[in-house]
Amino acid sequence: GAVVSQHPSWVICKSGTSVKIECRSLDFQATTMFWYRQFPKQSLMLMATSNEGSKATYEQGVEKDKFLINHASLTLSTLTVTSAHPEDSSFYICSAISQRGEQFFGPGTRLTVL
Amino acid sequence: DAKTTQPPSMDCAEGRAANLPCNHSTISGNEYVYWYRQIHSQGPQYIIHGLKNNETNEMASLIITEDRKSSTLILPHATLRDTAVYYCIVRVGGGNQGGKLIFGQGTELSVKP
C-alpha cells in the first residue's frame, strides 16, 4: 500500500526553540495533506488541512502563527512548531490522500519540549 | 465534532470474527464511512471505506445498513495482532477525495488467546 513517512520520528527540544517536522508521500502524489495531534490516551485531533501551493486551513482553536505549515510540493508538507513550550509536547501525525481517495497516515513524530 | 459513536471497548477470542459496530445517524448522502485502526504509538492504519454498498478487502468487510445510519466492521478471523483502537469515521465535506477525517474516541479491541 501507499506509504507516508515522517521525519524525525522523535525530537526533544528546549523551550522556546522551533521544531520542523516533515511529511512525505513516498509513492503517490498528494494535493492534500493533513496534520493531527494526539495527546496520551486521547484520540487524534485535526489541526490543519494542507493544500499544495496554497495556504493551509486551520481548525478552530489552532494558532496558525504557532504551527506553520508549508506544502511546497505534491509529496512534501512540513509543520513547524514555533517557540515550542512544554504544553506543545505531543504526538504529531500527518496524512495524505491518494488519487483513489484512500487517506494514509504517517508513523507520527513524538515531540518532547523540556 | 465527530459524527460517529462507537462502544469504548470490546473483547474478541482469537480466531473468531470481530464485529465492531458504529452509529452515524447524521451522515449525509455524499459522506463516506472510513475505518482505521491504531496500534499504540503508531500512526493510524487504513482498513476500508465505503459509501452505500458493502465492501470487502484483504483485511476486513464493511457492512453499511440500507439507511446508512450505521455500519459494522468485520475482521473475519481475529488474531492477537489485531488488538488496537478502531476508529469509525465519516469523511466530512467532500465525498471521496475531498473533505477531512474527524476522529472520535474509537473502540479499543482486545483479542484474547
Side-chain angles (χ1 to χ4, degrees), chain A residues 36 38 43 59 99 101 103 106, chain B residues 34 36 91 97 100-101 104:
Chain A
Y36 292 80
Q38 185 175 32
S43 186
E59 295 297 305
Q99 286 82 354
Q103 186 165 339
Chain B
Y34 282 72
Y36 285 81
R91 179 180 287 284
Q97 294 192 21
K100 50 193 178 184
L101 297 178

Side-chain angles (χ1 to χ4, degrees), chain A residues 8-95:
Chain A
S9 56
W10 60 269
V11 57
I12 301 173
C13 70
K14 292 182 179 179
S15 186
T17 60
S18 295
V19 174
K20 180 185 283 189
I21 302 169
E22 291 185 349
C23 175
R24 295 182 185 273
S25 57
L26 296 185
D27 53 0
F28 65 97
Q29 293 183 331
T31 55
T32 303
M33 292 184 173
F34 302 87
W35 287 96
Y36 292 80
R37 180 167 57 178
Q38 185 175 32
F39 293 107
K41 298 193 182 301
Q42 294 187 21
S43 186
L44 283 77
M45 184 196 80
L46 179 64
M47 300 175 68
T49 302
S50 167
N51 293 299
E52 188 264 339
S54 65
K55 291 184 179 180
T57 303
Y58 290 81
E59 295 297 305
Q60 191 172 9
V62 177
E63 299 175 58
K64 62 179 181 179
D65 294 331
K66 180 167 186 61
F67 299 101
L68 301 179
I69 292 172
N70 187 312
H71 192 159
S73 77
L74 288 172
T75 59
L76 173 64
S77 176
T78 60
L79 168 69
T80 301
V81 183
T82 62
S83 187
H85 291 285
E87 57 266 29
D88 298 321
S89 297
S90 189
F91 193 47
Y92 291 88
I93 307 170
C94 74
S95 71

Side-chain angles (χ1 to χ4, degrees), chain B residues 25-61:
Chain B
S25 59
T26 62
I27 194 170
S28 298
N30 68 340
E31 291 177 334
Y32 282 70
V33 178
Y34 282 72
W35 282 84
Y36 285 81
R37 70 182 182 184
Q38 185 179 29
I39 296 170
H40 182 61
S41 294
Q42 298 181 23
Q45 177 189 19
Y46 169 82
I47 301 174
I48 200 166
H49 73 283
L51 180 62
K52 296 181 192 176
N53 301 320
N54 297 338
E55 302 286 344
T56 295
N57 63 21
E58 63 276 7
M59 288 184 68
S61 294

